Amino acid sequence: MELNSQPTVILRHPKERRSKCSLTPLEGRNDFKFYRARPGFEFEVTDYTVLGLDAPELSVADAGRPLLLLDSTWRLLPDLEACLIGQPIRRTLPQVKTAYPRVSKLTPDPLGGLASIEALYLARLLLGQCDASLLDAYYWRTDFLENLAQAGF
């Protein structure tokens, strides 16, 4: 497994509950840096690859830049994006069905919306950095890997 020299940055919304977060098992690993975006927090994203919707699809051509993953509910995502300053390189992931059984009573999830750990795994896979250990603690691991296989990954 070849990783970027810089860790993947995970920026969490302050209301994201760590107890329910699919990324919590990755805390403490050297290849990740976690930040909680409290009021007044800003993060310089120039030259970072930032995952989101409505952007060109992520590919191996994007390898070599640091990766930033925004960890939030879809409803609170605009608040988290407001913390970003600079000029990121925005990329989206191909549509893969999530295995996470989410239910939102307030807003529907966008088509192709993945659990954070699923998005991270797929992003690293597309960047040529496949790391099966990312999914070790993910309860819906088998279902997600089946969804990836059905999507051609």
Side-chain angles (χ1 to χ4, degrees):
M1 170 180 63
E2 182 180 312
L3 296 174
N4 284 338
S5 59
Q6 295 191 33
T8 296
V9 173
I10 311 294
L11 182 56
R12 280 192 176 135
H13 192 280
K15 292 183 178 178
E16 183 73 14
R17 293 194 323 206
R18 287 183 61 241
S19 62
K20 289 190 160 199
C21 180
S22 61
L23 298 173
T24 300
L26 303 179
E27 292 177 3
R29 284 180 48 157
N30 292 335
D31 51 338
F32 296 98
K33 189 153 182 120
F34 287 83
Y35 294 97
R36 185 167 290 278
R38 301 193 186 284
F41 179 86
E42 291 181 335
F43 192 85
E44 170 60 55
V45 293
T46 299
D47 296 328
Y48 271 78
T49 298
V50 177
L51 296 178
L53 300 175
D54 300 323
E57 199 167 282
L58 185 70
S59 73
V60 74
D62 295 303
R65 284 192 303 269
L67 179 65
L68 174 69
L69 182 74
L70 302 174
D71 188 25
S72 172
T73 63
W74 291 105
R75 183 176 60 85
L76 297 174
L77 190 58
D79 295 341
L80 196 54
E81 288 179 328
C83 298
L84 307 181
I85 57 172
Q87 298 298 316
I89 294 95
R90 296 203 178 263
R91 294 291 183 260
T92 194
L93 296 172
Q95 288 192 5
V96 172
K97 184 180 175 191
T98 184
Y100 190 84
R102 61 169 65 104
V103 177
S104 175
K105 295 177 178 132
L106 300 174
T107 58
D109 290 329
L111 184 64
L114 298 173
S116 296
I117 191 64
E118 295 172 341
L120 177 62
Y121 180 85
L122 181 54
R124 286 247 180 125
L125 181 68
L126 293 169
L127 293 171
Q129 304 168 0
C130 185
D131 180 359
S133 72
L134 294 175
L135 298 175
D136 282 352
Y138 186 48
Y139 183 81
W140 294 278
R141 175 184 199 270
T142 301
D143 293 338
F144 178 62
L145 291 173
E146 287 174 11
N147 292 349
L148 281 176
Q150 289 175 2
F153 295 98

